[in-house]
Amino acid sequence: MSARQDTLRLRLELLRMRAQIERSEISAAVVELKVGTRTLRRFGAVASSLGAAASGSTGGWLGPIVGLISERPWITAVLIGALRTARRHPWLALVAAGAVVIAARWKRRDPAPEAERGSTSEAESAAESTSDSAPGPGSNPAGD
């Protein structure tokens, strides 16, 4: 091989290495950009979901929440005030969150026995009314 061919081969190898390095740098930059803009992309996704829910084009859990907020605008003021308070006094936010969890569990636990009692009493009263009005096996419906 001549010196010229060796030089061309080395230049080609150098260009290949440079391209590989640039590709790896670009992929690292893309990953860094994705990590850096994750919060912004989440806000965008939430804004898009809110827009879809406000227009009524979604059937998810967000539609009823947006409907509730649009019917009662004071909820927004309460939520913003709670967020400001939570930022200034995080312990107060923890106490409030704990109270909400306890209230939700208590409320979930309480109606179950009442509903069971109500359904059994309705079933018992229905059974009693049918047994009183229905003739027994030995009775004569004609009155003989």
Side-chain angles (χ1 to χ4, degrees), residues 64-114:
I65 292 174
V66 171
L68 180 71
I69 290 174
S70 64
E71 290 173 4
R72 296 173 182 89
W74 56 268
I75 291 176
T76 306
V78 169
L79 287 175
I80 290 172
L83 287 174
R84 286 180 181 164
T85 303
R87 197 175 340 149
R88 292 182 187 141
H89 307 288
W91 59 270
L92 187 60
L94 290 174
V95 170
V100 167
V101 168
I102 290 171
R105 286 189 179 205
W106 185 39
K107 188 175 182 181
R108 184 184 301 165
R109 184 190 61 183
D110 237 7
E114 291 177 12

Side-chain angles (χ1 to χ4, degrees), residues 1-134:
M1 281 198 177
S2 69
R4 179 159 169 80
Q5 286 179 342
D6 284 340
T7 305
L8 289 176
R9 189 174 46 84
L10 288 173
R11 281 186 181 175
L12 185 61
E13 186 66 29
L14 180 66
L15 288 173
R16 286 181 183 152
M17 291 178 97
R18 184 190 295 172
Q20 184 179 6
I21 291 170
E22 287 178 358
R23 282 193 300 268
S24 64
E25 287 177 352
I26 288 172
S27 66
V30 167
V31 168
E32 185 179 334
L33 184 64
K34 282 184 179 180
V35 169
T37 60
R38 183 181 306 154
T39 306
L40 186 60
R41 287 184 292 129
R42 284 183 184 165
F43 281 133
V46 169
S48 173
S49 298
L50 285 173
S55 67
S57 63
T58 183
W61 57 271
L62 202 52
I65 292 174
V66 171
L68 180 71
I69 290 174
S70 64
E71 290 173 4
R72 296 173 182 89
W74 56 268
I75 291 176
T76 306
V78 169
L79 287 175
I80 290 172
L83 287 174
R84 286 180 181 164
T85 303
R87 197 175 340 149
R88 292 182 187 141
H89 307 288
W91 59 270
L92 187 60
L94 290 174
V95 170
V100 167
V101 168
I102 290 171
R105 286 189 179 205
W106 185 39
K107 188 175 182 181
R108 184 184 301 165
R109 184 190 61 183
D110 237 7
E114 291 177 12
E116 289 175 7
R117 277 187 257 135
S119 64
T120 56
S121 64
E122 289 174 5
E124 289 172 358
S125 63
E128 288 175 5
S129 66
T130 55
S131 65
D132 291 342
S133 63

